[in-house]
Amino acid sequence: MSNVNEIRFAVEKSVLDIGVKIVFPVIEGIDNTILSPEWMENRKEIIAALLEEYKDIDYHADPILEGFHILHDRAGVKRRKNIPASENLIRLLNKHGDVFFINQAVDIYNIISMESKLALGAHDIDHVDGNVTLRFTDGTERFVPIGQSESVSNDPHEYSYCDDANDILCRLEIRQVEKTKVDEKTKNVFYIVQGNDATDNELMIATAQRIVDETIKYCGGKGRVIIPEII
């Protein structure tokens, strides 16, 4: 188990070189058992606005969404079976008229992901072993996707977020894992805010700060935005 004050966030330069951009918001001491009526009311308005904004979206013509596919191309990852997280959320929104509510902390970052088009994720720090590194996989890593109990195979040379136990915490920006899933018991969270060549630094930092501000507003806690060490 990692100490929230001692955990190190790092990224391999080789991953940055293909165009991945990354910052890590961290929030300590949230109460994720809360269901805020104010958030739910705001959520309705945001969902309605997003449905209007994205009703005629051309996913591959959008520079940010297409930027994630370009990252996959550079990493040798097939497009068809690997839809970037933010695009997948927008597709689900357009198909169902909403996105599934999991818990309040997850819902907040899902909404912000659709608004910003950045790929976002959240992980329970108390279940991380050691430090977090965004790196290319070598195929030896343990990967247990959310909802599964057994490790599944993973391909080498996929950029993934891994801890010191050689466990994948997030494959690409697509699939998170059972080990660090955020649920109602979660108290300490680190977030992935991932961009690409089409996302400037201002958008990255502003989105990370918004996650911190909105989550603290509705779930409590204290937070900060961490720029990872380059290794």
Side-chain angles (χ1 to χ4, degrees):
M1 180 186 298
S2 291
N3 184 313
V4 67
N5 295 315
E6 296 177 358
I7 187 170
R8 184 192 72 169
F9 294 90
V11 57
E12 285 185 345
K13 184 178 182 300
S14 57
V15 175
L16 298 179
D17 287 344
I18 70 166
V20 174
K21 296 181 181 179
I22 179 67
V23 293
F24 294 98
V26 173
I27 306 177
E28 305 168 56
I30 69 168
D31 181 353
N32 203 24
T33 65
I34 297 171
L35 184 59
S36 165
E38 182 184 359
W39 167 252
M40 297 305 290
E41 193 62 33
N42 290 343
R43 182 188 194 277
K44 290 179 184 178
E45 296 179 3
I46 296 170
I47 290 291
L50 290 174
L51 283 168
E52 179 64 25
E53 179 180 356
Y54 294 140
K55 64 181 180 180
D56 298 317
I57 188 171
D58 182 338
Y59 296 99
H60 293 291
D62 184 278
I64 295 179
L65 298 180
E66 179 63 11
F68 291 111
H69 288 286
I70 292 170
L71 293 181
H72 294 174
D73 293 343
R74 292 170 180 167
V77 175
K78 293 181 179 178
R79 287 188 173 217
R80 188 172 63 85
K81 295 183 178 180
N82 295 285
I83 300 175
S86 49
E87 178 182 329
N88 191 52
L89 283 171
I90 294 169
R91 287 182 179 273
L92 290 172
L93 176 71
N94 280 332
K95 182 177 181 179
H96 300 292
D98 203 344
V99 290
F100 186 67
F101 184 97
I102 298 173
N103 55 62
Q104 188 149 281
V106 170
D107 199 58
I108 289 169
Y109 86 73
N110 277 343
I111 296 293
I112 295 174
S113 179
M114 288 189 291
E115 288 184 304
S116 67
K117 302 175 190 171
L118 296 177
L120 309 184
H123 298 268
D124 190 323
I125 289 176
D126 295 331
H127 294 146
V128 173
D129 288 293
N131 302 304
V132 174
T133 304
L134 172 56
R135 60 175 173 81
F136 284 114
T137 57
D138 60 20
T140 67
E141 295 82 5
R142 183 170 182 266
F143 176 45
V144 184
I146 281 182
Q148 300 189 31
S149 58
E150 300 294 331
S151 182
V152 300
S153 62
N154 66 286
D155 294 328
H157 204 259
E158 293 183 343
Y159 56 86
S160 296
Y161 301 80
C162 303
D163 68 9
D164 288 348
N166 206 33
D167 286 334
I168 292 175
L169 306 183
C170 187
R171 174 183 171 263
L172 303 165
E173 67 290 312
I174 294 174
R175 196 75 188 272
Q176 300 182 80
V177 297
E178 188 69 20
K179 176 177 180 176
T180 54
K181 71 179 180 182
V182 171
D183 58 23
E184 288 79 5
K185 298 177 183 177
T186 298
K187 299 297 183 186
N188 303 306
V189 188
F190 85 82
Y191 295 82
I192 291 166
V193 176
Q194 187 186 309
N196 53 58
D197 287 337
T199 59
D200 59 32
N201 291 336
E202 289 76 12
L203 175 62
M204 298 287 296
I205 296 300
T207 301
Q209 190 58 53
R210 185 165 174 229
I211 290 172
V212 171
D213 294 343
E214 292 288 296
T215 304
I216 291 173
K217 179 178 180 179
Y218 296 108
C219 300
K222 59 180 181 178
R224 62 194 186 280
V225 176
I226 296 175
I227 307 299
E229 175 186 346
I230 300 173
I231 58 174

